[in-house]
Amino acid sequence: MPNLLSWVVIGFIAYAFLNADTGFINKTILAGLGLDPVSWYSYTGAWPAIIIIVNLWKNMGYQSIVYMASISGIDKSIYEAAAIDGATKMQQIFRITLPMLKPTVITLTLMSIGRIFYSDFGLFYQVPQNSGALFNVTQTIDTYVYRGLMELNDVGMSAAAGLYQSLVGFALVLIANGIVRKADSENALF
């Protein structure tokens, strides 16, 4: 479900949890433990963990659907034959399911490598609510390009940063695909 929501909605959900005055964490959890409220939008130490947790929560459903679809595509007769041969469920997982998921894992990994320099703009702009105190921990190439265009009107630097991001991502995909091609040419993208 969270994958279908926009980052604006996710940003407001995070705000409902992290607001210093009325947020769920400060009002319920920290108050229940007798701790002082934390101003999350000015405390930079927690934001690397917050960004990771929010990103995992939002994308976990989609990734689960992809892997479940791959698993459901595995022929059931293979599992039946393994069960007849006396394979336990763990043996079926390690000897049938995981090897059959190898192409899916490789493809998704190659796609993720291409996005290493691409940060999800909504995650790094909407969730921290564009808080100036958090720029040094939430600033990425995408938010830099946006701020360069919208606030500084620096078209040249923004274009150069975007081009750099694209070229490095493309080069990383080529390198990773070359490594996969040498190890297992059947699962390489090209």
Side-chain angles (χ1 to χ4, degrees):
M1 178 66 182
N3 194 56
L4 301 176
L5 299 175
S6 73
W7 277 114
V8 175
V9 174
I10 300 295
F12 280 112
I13 291 171
Y15 185 75
F17 277 89
L18 301 173
N19 186 317
D21 298 325
T22 60
F24 177 78
I25 293 176
N26 282 336
K27 284 294 184 187
T28 306
I29 297 172
L30 294 180
L33 296 173
L35 300 173
D36 293 330
V38 176
S39 179
W40 296 104
Y41 287 94
S42 61
Y43 176 60
T44 60
W47 275 91
I50 292 170
I51 293 288
I52 290 169
I53 290 168
V54 170
N55 189 42
L56 286 174
W57 175 71
K58 185 172 188 322
N59 294 317
M60 190 179 337
Y62 176 74
Q63 296 295 325
S64 298
I65 290 171
V66 170
Y67 285 110
M68 289 300 292
S70 295
I71 291 170
S72 68
I74 299 172
D75 189 10
K76 302 299 179 227
S77 63
I78 298 172
Y79 290 107
E80 292 170 1
I84 290 171
D85 288 341
T88 64
K89 284 294 181 189
M90 290 306 287
Q91 289 172 332
Q92 290 177 16
I93 290 171
F94 285 107
R95 300 214 173 139
I96 298 171
T97 306
L98 292 179
M100 297 292 260
L101 285 177
K102 183 178 173 185
T104 303
V105 171
I106 289 173
T107 301
L108 291 177
T109 302
L110 287 173
M111 291 172 58
S112 295
I113 287 172
R115 295 172 56 103
I116 284 176
F117 278 85
Y118 166 80
S119 68
D120 202 333
F121 177 77
L123 175 65
F124 288 94
Y125 187 78
Q126 293 293 336
V127 174
Q129 300 285 320
N130 197 24
S131 175
L134 301 174
F135 278 177
N136 57 341
V137 292
T138 61
Q139 179 90 322
T140 63
I141 294 174
D142 291 338
T143 57
Y144 173 78
V145 168
Y146 176 77
R147 287 186 184 103
L149 284 172
M150 300 305 287
E151 295 171 7
L152 304 174
N153 202 22
D154 191 357
V155 177
M157 184 58 78
S158 298
L163 179 66
Y164 170 77
Q165 180 182 23
S166 299
L167 291 177
V168 171
F170 180 68
L172 287 174
V173 167
L174 290 177
I175 291 168
N177 191 61
I179 292 169
V180 169
R181 192 176 334 110
K182 285 184 180 183
D184 184 11
S185 62
E186 187 175 305
N187 290 317
L189 289 178
F190 48 87

